[in-house]
Amino acid sequence: MELTRETLHALVTKSGLWIDPQHTFVLSPDVFTVSRADADALGSFAVALHDCLGGIGRIAAIATMPTLINGAAWKKIGRTLGTGIPTRYASVQHRRPSGVPGICKVDFMIDTEGQWRIAEIDGHNKHGLGYSTVAAQVRDAIGYGGSMFPGVVDALVRQIERRNDPRLAIVYADQERFYEPELRILARALAARGIGVTLFREEEARVVDGAVFVRDMPVPARLYLDLPFMHHNQPLIDALFIGAASGEIDFLIPPKPFLGSKAVLAFLRNDEEDPEIEAILRSQIFARSLDLVRSYIPRTFFIETVEPDARWRRELNGTPYVVKETISYGMKGTIFRDDDGLEDALREAKRSPRQYVVQEEVVNRPFSFRSFRDDGSITTDGWFTRVTVHFGIRAVADIIVTARKDKKVHGATDCLQLGCVISENGG
């Protein structure tokens, strides 16, 4: 049967993702193809990433203990990884120092030489899981041959089933209402695999004697997807943090907001060549894992001064760079060197120690993809990509690619959302 725009449009519409027009995107008859070599490399990266995140968790925990630390490097780590994070998380984020996210999103850019470079490691964010689920459904409808990654739903189900209680709670904060359609998609996909899912917005919950109720029914799950930043239901916030601190409630994505900070990239790279920080990193992370993850990260520096003799100015002299807030997602808080707001961002960075990093810009390679016009005809254009890899525990769960004709790639109504297949013959 011939693949038409109407076929894909009906599929995505039925998923419920497009119930909000802001979630629409341009449909394409294409998928993103990765070579077997790249897929194998990502498999090795998955193991190294697990080691690095566990190591950063241990380092962050030690850095909060005044009786254990000594020296400026430890203090810098503690202050930096605590920047921008609500103080309430201090009571829970170091309870299991080695705990890593059950699903971790890493955004890669592919440069003009075909090298995969990390734009962001986000170990504290559930957003995108529903999009990945729909992209996989679209990929299957397109019917390309080739091997495929297992998928984010499969990765989550495997982890839930290991706990001998096939139930999961997904709570989203008031400011996350934009993501409700994709969370509903994820919840339905998990339910179809036998997981009992309770999905609710923070305002829908009430707490009675410490127990959380939603729609007048107790939430049966003791496993939550994550513990998001919430501000509008204090009894719920208290109940979840008390449960997290006691161990009564657990999370697939641990409540460690620092694992979503771009400061982690700067520490892992250690481009300042601080010998104390290097010793700390290698005390908690296997050398081979640190070196592998480090090789994917562009040069990244903390902005501690904007004076002309700052090291990052010397190191990146003549090299395009971007300024990034340490706690931000996607393209938010990202300013390119040729943007009008760069100088304002640098001034703000000087006023806000540890809240910004500067990173070597990855020159994004354009790819040729087809897309459907509104009338159903097909056009071929050059698109810049943001390759989002969701990693499960020491393995790749799946890949979804966002593509735009602008180098500032982010989800938008003019972007493509492409599923992924593995080719034995190249990408």
Side-chain angles (χ1 to χ4, degrees):
M1 183 176 67
E2 180 184 2
L3 180 71
T4 66
R5 180 182 183 277
E6 287 71 23
T7 302
L8 297 185
H9 190 280
L11 188 159
V12 181
T13 301
K14 184 179 179 180
S15 76
L17 183 62
W18 284 356
I19 194 170
D20 183 341
Q22 295 181 84
H23 290 277
T24 60
F25 52 85
V26 179
L27 294 170
S28 169
D30 287 340
V31 297
F32 186 78
T33 304
V34 300
S35 67
R36 169 54 62 185
D38 281 339
D40 290 344
L42 288 172
S44 298
F45 178 89
V47 176
L49 176 68
H50 184 279
D51 291 344
C52 285
L53 294 181
I56 289 293
R58 291 188 292 274
I59 290 168
I62 296 169
T64 64
M65 301 179 183
T67 57
L68 292 182
I69 64 172
N70 182 36
W74 279 110
K75 292 178 182 178
K76 177 179 178 178
I77 291 170
R79 289 194 302 265
T80 303
L81 293 183
T83 297
I85 296 173
T87 55
R88 189 72 185 262
Y89 283 85
S91 65
V92 297
Q93 64 182 350
H94 304 305
R95 184 174 179 273
R96 294 178 179 170
S98 297
V100 301
I103 199 84
C104 180
K105 182 171 73 74
V106 180
D107 286 339
F108 290 90
M109 313 291 275
I110 299 178
D111 67 21
T112 54
E113 297 179 356
Q115 300 299 310
W116 292 53
R117 310 295 301 282
I118 293 174
E120 180 177 24
I121 295 176
D122 191 350
H124 190 255
N125 189 347
K126 61 180 173 288
H127 306 153
L129 295 173
Y131 273 97
S132 185
T133 303
V134 171
Q137 294 169 353
V138 170
R139 174 204 62 203
D140 293 345
I142 291 172
Y144 275 80
S147 302
M148 301 173 190
F149 295 107
V152 296
V153 172
D154 185 81
L156 292 171
V157 168
R158 287 174 181 270
Q159 294 177 58
I160 295 168
E161 289 180 338
R162 283 202 296 266
R163 298 167 187 263
N164 299 316
D165 183 358
R167 297 179 294 187
L168 179 71
I170 304 176
V171 58
Y172 59 99
D174 179 73
Q175 69 269 17
E176 295 181 293
R177 284 180 295 175
F178 175 83
Y179 301 98
E180 180 182 352
E182 68 154 320
L183 292 175
R184 292 194 178 280
I185 291 167
L186 177 66
R188 286 198 301 271
L190 290 169
R193 293 285 301 273
I195 305 300
V197 181
T198 305
L199 172 67
F200 62 99
R201 191 174 73 249
E202 64 171 304
E203 292 97 324
E204 295 180 279
R206 64 187 182 91
V207 178
V208 180
D209 296 329
V212 179
F213 285 74
V214 174
R215 294 177 284 277
D216 295 324
M217 296 291 292
V219 176
R222 290 294 174 262
L223 178 65
Y224 280 68
L225 180 56
D226 73 335
L227 180 54
F229 294 173
M230 294 183 288
H231 308 284
H232 297 280
N233 189 334
Q234 195 59 50
L236 174 65
I237 296 168
D238 291 341
L240 293 183
F241 272 95
I242 290 171
S246 68
E248 182 180 352
I249 295 175
D250 201 2
F251 302 87
L252 285 176
I253 301 175
K256 299 182 177 186
F258 61 86
L259 289 182
S261 172
K262 294 177 181 64
V264 169
L265 300 180
F267 280 126
L268 288 175
R269 278 286 309 190
N270 191 23
D271 281 305
E272 283 87 0
E273 298 181 344
D274 185 320
E276 292 185 24
I277 287 179
E278 191 69 14
I280 291 168
L281 290 170
R282 294 189 180 274
S283 74
Q284 297 298 325
I285 303 172
F286 293 126
R288 62 180 181 275
S289 294
L290 177 60
D291 293 342
L292 179 59
V293 170
R294 180 176 280 175
S295 71
Y296 282 85
I297 304 173
R299 287 180 293 174
T300 306
F301 299 84
F302 288 107
I303 301 182
E304 299 185 19
T305 174
V306 293
E307 299 304 325
D309 62 345
R311 175 161 184 158
W312 65 266
R313 285 194 182 275
R314 300 195 306 271
E315 293 285 338
L316 298 178
N317 182 34
T319 302
Y321 60 82
V322 293
V323 175
K324 298 181 176 182
E325 289 186 67
T326 55
I327 300 293
S328 62
Y329 302 106
M331 293 302 296
K332 294 179 180 179
T334 298
I335 307 295
F336 288 82
R337 189 178 67 168
D338 54 359
D339 286 346
D340 291 338
L342 177 68
E343 291 306 319
D344 289 339
L346 290 175
R347 281 192 291 271
E348 178 61 27
K350 187 175 182 179
R351 291 192 295 267
S352 308
R354 304 178 297 278
Q355 291 189 25
Y356 290 82
V357 297
V358 60
Q359 188 175 74
E360 177 184 2
E361 181 184 344
V362 176
V363 180
N364 205 346
R365 166 190 166 189
F367 286 79
S368 179
F369 294 120
R370 296 176 295 165
S371 62
F372 285 109
R373 298 188 181 96
D374 289 343
D375 63 4
S377 61
I378 295 176
T379 181
T380 302
D381 299 286
W383 300 78
F384 297 102
T385 61
R386 192 176 185 95
V387 183
T388 297
V389 184
H390 281 104
F391 292 93
I393 299 297
R394 295 181 177 271
V396 178
D398 212 347
I399 294 177
I400 179 174
V401 171
T402 302
R404 291 188 77 213
K405 295 176 183 178
D406 187 321
K407 73 175 183 177
K408 299 178 183 179
V409 183
H410 60 88
T413 57
D414 63 350
C415 79
L416 306 179
Q417 298 281 3
L418 305 176
C420 178
V421 298
I422 305 167
S423 170
E424 302 298 334
N425 300 318

